[in-house]
Structure formats: C-alpha cells, structure tokens
C-alpha cells in the first residue's frame, strides 16, 4: 500500500477539526451531514476517510483518555482495520500485526498500554446475564453489517436487481440478506419498497409469534413502523393501530408504508404513554400489544459508537421506569389471555429482565418467553424480547 504521508496528516487534521466541532448533542451521523455542508472543500475521499477515522475513534469509548488524540486514533485504526495509512505513518512497527485477529490485536495493545477494555464499555456490571461481557465489548471494534428484510415472495426480484448492479450479498434465509455496511441501495429504484433496511436481530423479534387474520394489534411505540411492517408481512388482514408520541415520526411511518405498498387500513394516534390514555383509547381492547420500548439503545452502539462516550449510567434507571410506566398504561387495553410483546434494543438487565419480572409480579402476567437476541457474534445488533400473557 503506497502511502502519501502529507495527505494522511492532512486527513488527520480534518479528523481533529471534526472531532473538536462535535458536541454530542445530536447523533454523529446527523452532525456529519451538516459538517460536510460547511466544509465543501473536502472531497469525497477525504470525507470517507474522515467518517471512518471518527467512527473508529469513538469505538474506544473512554479508554486511554490520557493519550493524545492522534495516538488514540492510531490505536483505534489498528484495532478496527486490517490496512491503515494512519498506522503506517504514526506506528509503522505495528504494520506486521494489522492482519492478526482482533483478540490478538487487543492483547498486543494491552501489552503496551495495559488493560483498557473495561473503559471501552464501562457499564459491564449492568449487562443482562445472557450477554458475554468480553465478546460484547470487543464487538464494538467491528463495524456491523447491513441487513435487509425482503417482502414475502419478492426475494427473486431483489436478488436479480442486486446481481444486475454487481452488489455483493449473502442470503440468510427466505427473507434476509446481508450486505457490506455502507452499500448504496438508493440506486435500486426498481425494487424500492420490496425490502426494508432492518437489522438481523430486529427481524427475529417476532419469530414464533402467531399473527391471525382479523386479529387486532396495537403497535404502541411504532416509531417509523419497522415492526408493524413485519406484522403486516406475516398477515396483512389484521386490524392495526399504530401510535407514537411524535407526529413527525408517524408521518415517516406513512411514507414508509406507502413505499412498501401497504394496502391494509390502519389507524394512527399521537399518544404520550408515560401517562394514562384511557380517554384516547376508550373501551377498545386488543388481541396483542407490541411494545418496542424506548431504551438506551445499548445493543446498537456498534452502529453509533459515539454513545460509548456520551451515555451516563443513571439513564438506565430512567429508561427502566419509563418502560414500566408505558407497559402499565397499555395493559388495560389488552384482552385476557393475550400477549404483550415487550422489545428493547438494550443489553442492560434493568431495562430487560428486571422490567419483565416487575410487570409479572405487579400484574400477575405469565412470562411465556424471555430472551436476549445475540447479535454481537453475527456483526449485528443485540436485542431483547419477551412475551407476557395477561391473566
């Protein structure tokens, strides 16, 4: 690999300037969009490298903070990449090790700087018992893949278009394809609406759940409708209510449903479920309630590694209480003998098992199933799902 040291040092300066400008008040991806608009002199190659350097840097979390920013970037590049111009310029003696496995590279960095993994993810004591601490923490140095869920019966059309555009992919079943992260799918106009970008673990949250024709469902924290689209793909002939606290999000849901060609009639409500909603829902009762609860998102930080530095541990308890309150306020509208499906994209016990057990103890719910969906060994997110039956 031929290295232009002057160019690399300029890209590092761009990275430092970008990092200094970021205040952690918004998702980094959104910040980057604005940063590039204000720095139009940066070409596509410089932008690509800047994004890579920033995301790799964030993967260190709060580890090795005593080191210079350049040194931390070099370590992050060494751990995350098998080829790095930054390593070649700043630590050329490491180049012979860049092709080694991640565990070997972690061990090498520890031999120089001491144990640092505990500071990459300093919330390990909060993890659900089913999460392998070391494997989960180490996974933050690996960029997750891009997963798409293909509409039932449309796999051949989607595969044909991917092949036509020479886009590499791997099939993980009748409806799931995995692609390299960063794959540009916007050019595939012919199959727009035939697939949804959706993480592998998210696609598995409704496994084993029967969706019967004519049944009534309430997706109570619907956001942009990813789980509701899975419901409709399983069985389009259902009575569906979607709700969220934000009108703008429900508008996004409408656009997404239209793009997917949804023909099912569905209703929408803007609801703040942290408080009782008896007046808004009235005497309506549902055959199932889907609660994809607001959470820390800690199982998805491989995609948004800036959260490793931004997140504060006290937020876990705040989310757990909010999750319980939302469940409390939707349970009166669930029919007897029917399921509340509780989902988070968190890896924290307080948001997962503890909330489910508290609901079961408080309201006599039967825990039919409860599990973490492990994604860190599949270059995917990690999630949690439970089914509770109302007595």
């Amino acid at each position: 690999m031929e290295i232009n040291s002057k160019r690399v040092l300029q890209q590092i300066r761009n990275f430092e300037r970008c990092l200094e400008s970021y205040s952690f008040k918004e998702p980094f991806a959104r910040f980057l969009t604005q940063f590039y608009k204000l720095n139009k002199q940066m070409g596509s190659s410089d932008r690509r490298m800047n994004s890579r350097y920033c995301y790799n840097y964030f993967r260190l979390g709060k580890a090795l903070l005593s080191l210079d920013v350049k040194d931390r970037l070099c370590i992050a590049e060494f751990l995350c990449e098998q080829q790095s111009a930054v390593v070649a310029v700043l630590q050329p003696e490491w180049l012979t090790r860049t092709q080694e496995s991640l565990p070997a590279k972690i061990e090498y960095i520890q031999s120089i700087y001491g144990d640092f993994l505990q500071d990459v993810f300093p919330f390990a004591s909060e993890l659900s018992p089913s999460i392998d601490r070391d494997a989960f923490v180490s996974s933050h140095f690996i960029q997750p893949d891009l997963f798409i869920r293909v509409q039932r019966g449309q796999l051949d059309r989607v595969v044909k278009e991917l092949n036509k555009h020479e886009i590499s992919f791997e099939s993980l079943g009748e409806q799931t394809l995995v692609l390299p992260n960063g794959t540009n799918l916007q050019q595939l106009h012919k199959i727009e609406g035939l697939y949804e970008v959706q993480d592998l673990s998210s696609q598995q949250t409704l496994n084993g759940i029967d969706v019967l024709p004519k049944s009534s469902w309430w997706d109570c924290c619907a956001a942009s409708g990813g789980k509701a689209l899975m419901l409709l793909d399983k069985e389009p002939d259902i009575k569906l209510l979607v709700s969220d606290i934000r009108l703008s999000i429900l508008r996004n849901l409408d656009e997404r449903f239209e793009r997917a060609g949804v023909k099912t009639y569905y209703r929408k409500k803007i609801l703040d479920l942290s408080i009782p909603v008896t007046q808004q829902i009235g005497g309506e009762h549902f055959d199932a309630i889907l609660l994809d609860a607001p959470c820390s998102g800690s199982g998805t930080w491989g995609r948004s590694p800036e959260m490793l530095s931004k997140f504060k541990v006290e937020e876990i308890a705040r989310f757990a209480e909010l999750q319980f309150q939302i469940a409390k306020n939707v349970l009166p509208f669930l029919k007897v003998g029917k399921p509340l499906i509780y989902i988070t994209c968190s890896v924290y016990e307080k948001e997962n098992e503890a909330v489910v057990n508290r609901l079961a103890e408080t309201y006599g719910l039967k825990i039919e199933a409860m599990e973490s969906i492990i994604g860190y060994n599949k270059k995917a997110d990690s999630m949690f799902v439970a089914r509770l039956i109302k007595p």
Side-chain angles (χ1 to χ4, degrees):
M1 181 174 64
E2 186 175 343
I3 303 296
N4 183 332
S5 297
K6 185 176 179 181
R7 177 78 180 278
V8 173
L9 292 173
Q10 178 58 52
Q11 289 174 335
I12 292 175
R13 285 192 290 271
N14 289 338
F15 151 76
E16 291 178 313
R17 187 159 53 87
C18 182
L19 200 64
E20 289 170 0
S21 302
Y22 182 51
S23 63
F24 289 91
K25 293 181 180 178
E26 60 184 337
F28 186 65
R30 188 181 303 164
F31 162 81
L32 269 185
T33 300
Q34 295 302 315
F35 181 81
Y36 292 146
K37 285 182 179 179
L38 296 173
N39 292 272
K40 294 181 179 179
Q41 77 282 1
M42 293 177 65
S44 59
S45 176
D46 286 338
R47 293 184 182 195
R48 185 171 60 253
M49 295 310 298
N50 180 70
S51 298
R52 164 178 153 171
Y53 292 168
C54 288
Y55 276 105
N56 283 348
Y57 182 85
F58 287 136
R59 294 182 187 284
L60 277 178
K62 296 183 179 180
L64 306 172
L65 287 176
S66 62
L67 299 180
D68 181 81
V69 168
K70 290 188 184 69
D71 293 331
R72 294 186 80 223
L73 173 62
C74 187
I75 293 169
E77 277 281 296
F78 173 74
L79 292 171
C80 298
E81 307 290 343
Q82 293 194 316
Q83 288 187 328
S84 172
V86 171
V87 173
V89 171
L90 299 183
Q91 291 285 4
E93 66 274 18
W94 293 0
L95 285 176
T96 58
R97 295 178 176 269
T98 55
Q99 299 290 320
E100 293 181 358
S101 68
L102 178 58
K105 290 198 281 188
I106 289 173
E107 184 177 351
Y108 178 65
I109 294 299
Q110 287 177 327
S111 72
I112 302 172
Y113 298 101
D115 185 14
F116 66 96
L117 282 185
Q118 60 187 354
D119 296 321
V120 170
F121 190 88
F123 319 107
S125 62
E126 302 286 344
L127 291 174
S128 292
S130 57
I131 302 297
D132 183 315
R133 172 192 174 276
D134 290 342
F136 174 71
V137 174
S138 297
S139 73
H140 288 87
F141 295 115
I142 302 172
Q143 175 71 46
D145 282 328
L146 173 67
F147 297 90
I148 62 173
R149 180 182 59 80
V150 181
Q151 283 188 12
R152 198 173 301 277
Q154 299 295 339
L155 184 62
D156 289 344
R157 289 179 63 185
V158 172
V159 166
K160 181 180 178 180
E161 194 68 7
L162 290 173
N163 287 330
K164 177 181 176 182
H165 289 266
E166 298 182 340
I167 295 175
S168 63
F169 65 91
E170 179 185 351
S171 177
L172 297 183
E174 294 182 357
Q175 291 187 263
T176 305
L177 300 177
V178 54
L179 301 90
N181 197 280
T183 300
N184 180 13
L185 295 175
Q186 295 179 347
Q187 58 183 313
L188 307 182
H189 302 296
K190 289 185 178 180
I191 56 172
E192 187 177 80
L194 299 185
Y195 69 89
E196 297 293 329
V197 174
Q198 187 173 23
D199 182 77
L200 176 64
S201 296
S202 180
Q203 294 185 41
Q204 296 172 350
T205 52
L206 299 186
N207 285 357
I209 293 174
D210 293 326
V211 185
L212 301 177
K214 310 295 184 184
S215 57
S216 56
W217 284 75
W218 179 14
D219 185 355
C220 63
C221 294
S224 59
K227 302 298 189 305
L229 282 171
M230 279 206 300
L231 283 176
L232 293 171
D233 193 48
K234 277 175 168 282
E235 175 52 66
D237 187 16
I238 61 173
K239 301 172 185 177
L240 177 63
L241 171 65
V242 294
S243 64
D244 199 273
I245 195 172
R246 299 153 293 179
L247 174 60
S248 60
I249 291 294
L250 290 177
R251 285 174 175 163
N252 290 339
L253 179 147
D254 285 335
E255 293 175 3
R256 195 173 179 185
F257 275 30
E258 182 177 0
R259 191 165 55 246
V262 170
K263 304 298 183 185
T264 303
Y265 171 75
Y266 62 96
R267 295 176 298 135
K268 297 178 298 180
K269 288 182 182 289
I270 302 168
L271 297 174
D272 179 359
L273 294 174
S274 67
I275 57 178
V277 290
T278 303
Q279 185 174 353
Q280 294 94 322
I281 302 296
E284 190 168 5
H285 289 80
F286 298 89
D287 294 309
I289 296 178
L290 179 61
L291 171 51
D292 192 353
C295 69
S296 63
S298 47
T300 71
W301 289 353
R303 301 185 189 277
S304 53
E306 69 272 17
M307 292 299 297
L308 291 167
S309 301
K310 177 183 179 181
F311 191 77
K312 293 180 174 22
V313 69
E314 54 266 26
E315 293 184 54
I316 300 174
R318 180 179 67 82
F319 276 118
E321 185 59 30
L322 175 61
Q323 291 150 1
F324 180 81
Q325 291 301 321
I326 291 174
K328 169 187 173 183
N329 290 327
V330 302
L331 275 173
F333 309 103
L334 181 64
K335 294 178 182 178
V336 172
K338 300 299 183 178
L340 170 70
I341 302 165
Y342 177 83
I343 301 170
T344 77
C345 51
S346 171
V347 290
Y348 295 136
E349 183 176 13
K350 288 177 183 175
E351 294 185 273
N352 296 340
E353 293 90 347
V355 170
V356 170
N357 287 328
R358 182 183 175 192
L359 287 170
E361 293 168 5
T362 305
Y363 300 105
L365 303 174
K366 175 188 175 184
I367 302 174
E368 187 176 70
M370 177 168 62
E371 66 172 333
S372 293
I373 303 176
I374 304 301
Y376 51 78
N377 57 355
K378 304 180 185 73
K379 298 180 73 174
D381 299 338
S382 292
M383 301 189 68
F384 175 85
V385 61
R387 293 196 302 275
L388 300 100
I389 307 300
K390 185 175 180 177

